Amino acid sequence: MTAQAVVRTDRRRRLVHRVPWWIAALFLVGIAVLWIFPFLWMLSASLKDNMEMFTGGLKLWPSTFVWDNYSRAWNDAHFGRYLINTVVTTVVTVVIVTIRCATAGYVLARYRFRGSKLFLGVLIATLFVPTGYTIIPVVKISMQLHLIDSLGGMILALSGGAYVSAILLYYGYFRQIPRELEEAAVVDGAGFVRTFFSVMLPLAMPVTATVAVLTFITTWNAFFLPLVFTFSRPDLRTVSVGMQAFVGETATDWSGMAAAGVISIVPVVVLFIFLQRYFVEGISGAVKS
């Protein structure tokens, strides 16, 4: 860095320190309001009727609170059943993906074998393959295995993806762990499985929380695969596919759809609130390595 660049950096730092804290706070609050406004508007729309929803503009406070929207979404649109299907599918998928990606990242980070670098390069290359290209072969294989129209088949299809980002997170985190820990476990008589599950995986809890959150969000919001797997079984729909229940041939129940959207997003928000600290630690730890 040249002397002129150092001088410019020092000037910028002094300028930032001179800005009053309340101006910075107001600026950040304004950005936060703009960021969460769509969610607030959806929450407000879920408590309005269809007429007020379109005539009220950006007004957030409803003239009359229509709580019947949630009752209609839960009972008439069968969103309670869809929510149970989504929870079961998402939880099982998260468990399968977490264990699979953790073992793959551990082997790639701690072991050297012929073709390991090539395998890692192929994994990275698959990041650029659009997800839509894999739907047809996945569905064809599932039909041949008679897994269509079942939650088990949907779970296998959702958890069978590459999840390269999760593998790379584990790969980066396991690379920075000292090998002395593994050697001590081997001296105590632990094999590969015990060393991994008793020593290495507990140390990677921040990355595990990060992968769990990312997989949870991806699976919870999945649409194409659940749609294909529930064509002839509407009772197996997930919340993302169940949104179509509010779209009729001549009209759309927008307020009911907003209520269903609020119901579907609450579990994701709650999960992120509880795991946000581990989420940030996992991202920073993997990137730092």
Side-chain angles (χ1 to χ4, degrees), residues 224-257:
F224 288 112
L225 278 176
L227 176 65
V228 173
F229 274 78
T230 59
F231 264 137
S232 57
R233 290 287 303 276
D235 58 304
L236 297 180
R237 289 175 177 173
T238 59
V239 291
S240 57
V241 180
M243 289 289 182
Q244 299 297 316
F246 298 94
V247 180
E249 295 182 1
T250 59
T252 300
D253 185 3
W254 294 107
S255 56
M257 185 181 293

Side-chain angles (χ1 to χ4, degrees), residues 24-277:
L26 288 176
F27 177 74
L28 294 177
V29 168
I31 293 178
V33 170
L34 291 176
W35 188 266
I36 66 174
F37 183 81
F39 174 74
L40 294 178
W41 188 89
M42 183 176 67
L43 179 62
S44 172
S46 68
L47 296 171
K48 300 176 181 178
D49 56 31
N50 286 326
M51 183 62 67
E52 185 183 0
M53 181 177 175
F54 288 101
T55 59
L58 298 178
K59 184 181 69 172
L60 294 179
W61 194 261
S63 301
T64 303
F65 288 85
V66 185
W67 298 101
D68 185 61
N69 293 334
Y70 286 91
S71 176
R72 189 168 65 255
W74 188 264
N75 297 318
D76 298 345
H78 308 293
F79 232 72
R81 181 188 304 167
Y82 300 158
L83 191 63
I84 294 175
N85 295 337
T86 309
V87 170
V88 172
T89 302
T90 303
V91 170
V92 178
T93 301
V94 168
V95 173
I96 294 175
V97 170
T98 301
I99 295 176
R100 184 169 61 84
C101 293
T103 52
Y106 174 68
V107 170
L108 288 174
R110 312 301 285 187
Y111 294 89
R112 288 292 175 265
F113 52 90
R114 183 176 299 178
S116 59
K117 293 184 178 180
L118 176 62
F119 182 76
L120 186 61
V122 172
L123 276 180
I124 297 175
T126 58
L127 286 171
F128 303 96
V129 178
T131 306
Y133 289 161
T134 61
I135 291 181
I136 294 178
V138 167
V139 172
K140 186 175 181 179
I141 294 174
S142 300
M143 291 179 64
Q144 292 175 348
L145 296 176
H146 304 288
L147 295 175
I148 294 291
D149 300 331
S150 66
L151 282 181
M154 189 191 309
I155 291 171
L156 289 177
L158 290 171
S159 60
Y163 289 93
V164 180
S165 300
I167 295 176
L168 294 179
L169 283 174
Y170 276 112
Y171 171 80
Y173 198 89
F174 282 132
R175 283 195 64 184
Q176 65 181 346
I177 296 179
R179 290 191 175 272
E180 288 75 11
L181 295 175
E182 291 172 291
E183 295 173 357
V186 173
V187 171
D188 291 338
F192 174 85
V193 176
R194 184 179 174 187
T195 300
F196 175 74
F197 284 101
S198 300
V199 179
M200 304 303 291
L201 190 59
L203 292 175
M205 185 56 66
V207 176
T208 300
T210 302
V211 172
V213 171
L214 293 177
T215 307
F216 187 96
I217 295 174
T218 302
T219 308
W220 191 275
N221 296 328
F223 178 78
F224 288 112
L225 278 176
L227 176 65
V228 173
F229 274 78
T230 59
F231 264 137
S232 57
R233 290 287 303 276
D235 58 304
L236 297 180
R237 289 175 177 173
T238 59
V239 291
S240 57
V241 180
M243 289 289 182
Q244 299 297 316
F246 298 94
V247 180
E249 295 182 1
T250 59
T252 300
D253 185 3
W254 294 107
S255 56
M257 185 181 293
V262 173
I263 294 174
S264 64
I265 203 175
V266 166
V268 179
V269 174
V270 172
L271 178 71
F272 185 78
I273 289 175
F274 281 102
L275 297 180
Q276 61 178 333
R277 180 170 65 89

